[in-house]
């Protein structure tokens, strides 16, 4: 938690200190609510969620006769946790089947952190005693393929790759096939995300999915989202949910943003649980997403 807090230092400043400072007068008036609203909006919680949270907070403080900043903080924390729906299943489905590996697709816009996320997940799985195979289905970018292969070497996972420009779906298919042959536990497939050609991208992603599913259903389809792109990034990302049955979101680069509240927007808009958060570029800079811990870190 301390680490998470440190990484979220900027968000913490915004929500935590600002909030407690404004409450030091122990007086709740119209200004207080406006300031809370501003803090939440600035942190990218989104208009709808902010309105709802502040509304509920006002009602509850009225009913409870809340006066102190500490009490208000805990009520706000409760509302934020509720907005993140703590009952959602956030586990990753990576356990192999009897006759084939678990298959995980990683999708998202280029630059969002897909390849890095594949590497980090592979590392966690290998550390857990699982065998992993990486599939480099982003065949349009030689650098992405090399980057994934480097992660593979680092964590001790084979990378299936093909010459640049080859059909991504065939690389995805070969990856699962190879995973079955070598009896690995989990196959992680990194995909392309060139949004400038949306129709082509979506056709291609649909094909990757169909081809992989010849071996059986995809166990986990993770959408990687860059937290620093805010509400715009979120709108772009919705396209992916139309093609792939996204089972979880990975929110990256939370270390570099004062807008940690985007987590709430993401979950609300997409209706998909945030399962992992990226907190840096290094191999260990990823954490499972836990609403309570996260809100604690956010409020400081
Ligand atoms: P891809 O194009 O979606 O595969 O994105 P990459 O994995 O290549 O990542 C793009 C850039 O973002 C790289 O420089 C990564 O090191 C960086 N990156 C990825 N995840 C994080 C994160 O959680 N925090 C920070 N600060 N940088 C990240």
């Amino acid at each position: 938690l301390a680490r998470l807090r440190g990484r979220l230092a900027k968000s913490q400043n915004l929500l935590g200190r600002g909030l407690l400072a404004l409450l030091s007068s122990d007086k709740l008036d119209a200004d207080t609510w406006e300031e809370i609203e501003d803090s939440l909006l600035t942190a990218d919680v989104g208009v709808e969620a902010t309105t709802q949270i502040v509304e509920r907070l006002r009602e509850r403080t009225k009913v409870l006769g809340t006066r102190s900043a500490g009490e208000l903080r805990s009520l706000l924390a409760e509302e934020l946790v509720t907005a993140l729906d703590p009952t959602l299943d956030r586990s990753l489905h990576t356990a192999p089947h009897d006759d084939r590996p678990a298959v995980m697709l990683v999708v998202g816009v280029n630059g969002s952190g897909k390849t890095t996320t594949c590497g980090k997940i592979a590392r966690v799985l290998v550390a857990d005693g699982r065998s992993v195979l990486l599939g480099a289905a982003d065949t349009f970018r030689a650098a992405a393929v090399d980057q994934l292969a480097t992660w593979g070497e680092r964590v001790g996972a084979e990378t299936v790759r093909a010459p640049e420009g080859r059909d991504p779906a065939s690389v995805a298919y070969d990856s699962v096939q190879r995973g079955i042959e070598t009896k690995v536990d989990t196959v992680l497939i990194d995909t392309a995300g060139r949004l400038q050609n949306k129709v082509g991208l979506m056709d291609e992603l649909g094909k990757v999915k169909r081809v992989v599913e010849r071996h059986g259903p995809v166990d986990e389809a993770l959408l990687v989202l860059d937290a620093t792109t805010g509400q715009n990034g979120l709108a772009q990302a919705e396209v992916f949910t139309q093609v792939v049955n996204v089972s979880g979101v990975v929110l990256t680069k939370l270390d570099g943003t004062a807008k940690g509240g985007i987590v709430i927007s993401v979950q609300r808009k997409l209706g998909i649980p945030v399962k992992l958060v990226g907190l840096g570029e290094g191999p260990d800079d990823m954490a499972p997403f836990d609403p309570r811990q996260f809100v604690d870190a956010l409020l400081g």
Side-chain angles (χ1 to χ4, degrees), residues 140-203:
F140 296 90
R141 296 187 301 168
V145 174
D146 288 341
Q147 195 190 332
L148 192 70
T150 305
W151 274 102
E153 278 163 31
R154 203 190 284 177
V155 305
E158 180 183 351
T159 303
V160 168
R161 52 189 295 170
E164 196 176 339
R166 215 180 122 208
D167 182 11
S170 77
V171 178
Y173 184 85
D174 289 351
S175 302
V176 181
Q177 192 61 45
R178 176 78 184 151
I180 293 171
E181 282 162 21
T182 57
K183 295 190 166 50
V184 296
D185 296 320
T186 312
V187 172
L188 270 171
I189 299 174
D190 189 16
T191 64
R194 303 154 302 138
L195 260 197
Q196 54 274 34
N197 179 3
K198 216 182 260 183
V199 176
L201 171 68
M202 293 306 143
D203 283 352

Side-chain angles (χ1 to χ4, degrees), residues 109-116 141 147 253 255 278-281:
V109 178
N110 279 350
S112 57
K114 282 185 302 295
T115 307
T116 309
R141 296 187 301 168
Q147 195 190 332
K253 310 188 195 180
D255 52 303
L279 298 163
E281 297 186 85

